[in-house]
Amino acid sequence: MHTTQARIRLNGPTDLLTTIPLLLGFHPDHSLVVVGLINGELQCTFRVDLPGSADHLEHLVDLTQQLSLNECDGCVVVVYGEAELAQAVSERVSVRYHAAGIEPLDLLRVAEGRWFSLTCSKPCCPAEGLPIPETSPASCEVAVAGGYAEADRSAIAAQLAPAPPGRRAAVSRAVLAALTSDAEIDWGAQRDLDLQAIDHWMDQKTLPDLEAIADVGLALGDLDIRDYALRRINSGRYEANRIDLWIWVARHLEDDLLAPAATVAGFAAYRFGNGVLALEAFELALKASPHYRLAQMLMAALQAGIPPGALSRVGCGGREEAEVSD
């Protein structure tokens, strides 16, 4: 199930604040988080770093464009940080959202495991704040849908860390061996083998061995095979879009083969609703191949706030709906 497809019921700040880390993929700190709403229902979640102090608010990305692109008519603003900066940030973004026709329904601050209302002074919202519980009914719904939260953003980047040198060297040797054997196979037969490899490993519960990693990595270098993998991801048939598979393959490849696999991993994460992991994967792809076009396009879409559902035709080209479904 896609976390982007899960229906999440939020009943107050506790539900919201326990759910945000699962939606982002990590526990935010020194951050502005805005939860976009349409008719009171959760539509999207965006996060950016805070500036160093209230004197540098001109450096703050206020996320108005992203909320507007997702057609939000309301939002909840949560600032993770110290009180003075949180007050200044919330006031600044509220003005921007009002001007864009997006109503800020609540302004909250989070610090040291407690939440504080920036708009309510009633006994329900004491000045000393209230503790944030570990879980809530809403966060459990998101967890069941596949959401999880790392301790911080660096832990997400670590998921894409290269495999040990010995394993990558073994995959490189397998790549050379595969290229030698592939020279004896005609294009049509090789294409069939590549398609079968994508289908096979997407259906498996285990991860490919070193030789199979080489086969999949080489296959993704063919744009037609890569797009086939994107269509399989878009089908929604595979648990968590098999993000684990694509990351596993990418981690074992050298730079000459890395960009397609990392981009497919990022696409799978993007479609699943894990924008932070997607961004890390696209950055990895572009570090290996700065001009890899699909990674450039998907990163631009992600940074602009284009919703995952808008990517349902990526990889389809001019194919008809029946062919894509088939």
Side-chain angles (χ1 to χ4, degrees), residues 69-281:
L69 185 62
N70 282 266
E71 301 180 343
C72 297
D73 55 20
C75 67
V76 177
V77 176
V78 185
V79 185
Y80 292 76
E82 54 92 10
E84 180 183 359
L85 180 57
Q87 188 67 46
V89 167
S90 65
E91 290 175 357
R92 180 183 180 87
V93 298
S94 294
V95 172
R96 301 287 181 88
Y97 299 157
H98 274 300
I102 304 167
E103 183 65 24
L105 302 179
D106 209 349
L107 306 176
L108 306 172
R109 179 174 79 92
V110 172
E112 298 180 351
R114 303 180 74 83
W115 69 270
F116 307 79
S117 174
L118 299 177
T119 57
C120 178
S121 58
K122 297 179 181 178
C124 59
C125 300
E128 66 273 16
L130 292 168
I132 301 173
E134 291 187 5
T135 63
S136 70
S139 67
C140 290
E141 289 180 26
V142 177
V144 169
Y148 67 95
E150 298 285 3
D152 53 34
R153 181 163 182 168
S154 64
I156 293 180
Q159 294 178 38
L160 291 157
R167 293 183 61 84
R168 285 187 286 122
V171 170
S172 293
R173 291 192 294 272
V175 166
L176 291 175
L179 287 172
T180 301
S181 63
D182 289 352
E184 302 174 1
I185 304 176
D186 67 62
W187 178 85
Q190 184 60 55
R191 181 179 184 277
D192 287 342
L193 290 173
D194 290 342
L195 293 173
Q196 291 169 19
I198 298 298
D199 282 336
H200 173 78
W201 288 111
M202 289 194 76
D203 284 331
Q204 295 300 305
K205 299 296 184 183
T206 56
L207 295 170
D209 59 19
L210 300 182
E211 289 187 2
I213 291 171
D215 291 337
V216 174
L218 281 169
L220 292 175
D222 182 321
L223 296 184
D224 191 45
I225 304 300
R226 182 205 68 188
D227 287 353
Y228 178 78
L230 300 181
R231 296 197 298 277
R232 296 298 86 194
I233 291 168
N234 270 333
S235 73
R237 300 173 187 172
Y238 303 97
E239 182 177 355
N241 292 340
R242 289 310 314 271
I243 298 171
D244 61 330
L245 168 64
W246 309 117
I247 287 179
W248 176 253
V249 172
R251 291 180 58 228
H252 284 81
L253 298 176
E254 300 296 342
D255 283 357
D256 56 340
L257 292 178
L258 177 56
T263 301
V264 172
F267 180 78
Y270 193 165
R271 287 290 278 138
F272 193 65
N274 192 334
V276 177
L277 180 57
L279 183 62
E280 294 288 344

Side-chain angles (χ1 to χ4, degrees), residues 27-40:
H27 291 269
D29 184 42
H30 197 68
S31 301
L32 165 64
V33 175
V34 184
V35 178
L37 308 170
I38 297 179
N39 297 324

